[in-house]
Amino acid sequence: MKAIRLEEPGRFTRISLEPVTAVLQPDEALVRVHRIGVCGTDIHAFRGDQPFFTYPRILGHELGVEVLELGGSAFASYGATGPAEGFGPGGYCAVEPYLNCGACIACRQGKPNCCVRLSVLGVHVDGGMRETLIVPIRKLHPSKNLTLDQLALVETLAIGCHAVDRAGLEKGEFVLVIGAGPIGLGVMQFAIEAGAQVIVLDINAQRLEFCRRRLNVPYVIDASRENVLAALAEITTGDLPTAVFDATGNGRSMASAFEYPANGGRLILVGLFQGEITFNDPNFHRRELTILASRNARPDDFTRIIALIEAKRIDTSPWITHRARLSDVVTEFALWTKAEIGVIKAMIEA
Ligand SMILES: [Zn+2]
Ligand SMILES: [Zn+2]
């Protein structure tokens, strides 16, 4: 079976793996990987600036797959919530790549996304840049209607969906999203879906225009040209936004994000920064801010997103800007890491 492996920062190779011959456990499925979305995590792994990353690694955690075979008494083990009608060989699924232990405090509280022993497919263990893969059946989220491209986008969207869930947005409230990269775009789509009035802040005019035109975001602020606080005050008639999402993963941006929420508001940190963030305590206390981290996504985010795409309430058409065959990843990938190429989502066809 063909696969692509990242041997070390900056170097992919084409490899050939033994075909899967092991007998599946009752809770496992063998799947054919058809689509692999590329995201910031993969780009960090390629650049070698993700300290916890180990090499070599087969990347790929945003997957659109087809079920080939289910282990043992698979249907019984799929549990009370499933299997969905028609779930079985030949069915298409999104994959929830967060492999959790099921026993720790977070898992016991229904938060497998932040499991103490979390292992992410394509990050901590080898992922989906290959033809076939064994995954736990409970990590498959089927759909009879979504395309394989759409199924591979579900995980990216789930990051934004979960962040919006964390904030508990109410209809009509002003929400600021800092950072118009893929994570920010997901947050914006679900904030709009929740009925919020979305403002996007970025320093890239092209990305801001994209948000306005393709995502129908009503308010955009270009931090490279505008005074951000003054612009926020003008849009919100002096109130400031009641929820602020940081989707930059940039330490300086995250620190300045503490300046933007309204009194009594909340700040949701979605992007991850490898370091410390400091803030002024009186400024934080005076406004009684709530800070929330948002990590990965929960299983019900996946089912909800699939239903929203099926109902045409989430539009996936703006997302995919670049495409390649699995064997071309070795040469194409470096290009996708360049800002001027304007990649929103590169999709690999395996
Ligand atoms: Zn991702
Ligand atoms: Zn756990």
Side-chain angles (χ1 to χ4, degrees), residues 66-84:
E66 175 188 354
V67 176
L68 293 181
E69 196 185 327
L70 295 169
S73 53
F75 283 93
S77 71
Y78 196 68
T81 55

Side-chain angles (χ1 to χ4, degrees), residues 288-344:
E288 200 185 49
L289 296 184
T290 302
I291 313 174
L292 294 156
S294 184
R295 185 180 182 196
N296 300 326
R298 296 199 206 168
D300 50 337
D301 294 317
F302 284 74
T303 27
R304 200 179 133 223
I305 291 163
I306 288 170
L308 286 171
I309 300 174
E310 285 175 346
K312 303 204 185 327
R313 283 171 61 185
I314 289 289
D315 178 15
T316 55
S317 69
W319 279 88
I320 301 169
T321 51
H322 294 71
R323 220 170 244 289
R325 305 284 309 168
L326 184 64
S327 54
D328 296 329
V329 170
V330 176
T331 47
E332 289 290 301
F333 198 93
L335 194 70
W336 298 336
T337 67
K338 295 193 169 58
E340 64 272 21
I341 303 296
V343 175
I344 290 174

Side-chain angles (χ1 to χ4, degrees), residues 3 12 18 66 100 128 153 179 193 200 207 216 241 263 294 339-340 349:
F12 279 105
E18 291 296 314
E66 175 188 354
N100 64 304
L153 289 171
E193 162 63 24
V200 55
R207 281 189 163 184
N216 299 318
N263 282 34
S294 184
E340 64 272 21
E349 298 180 11

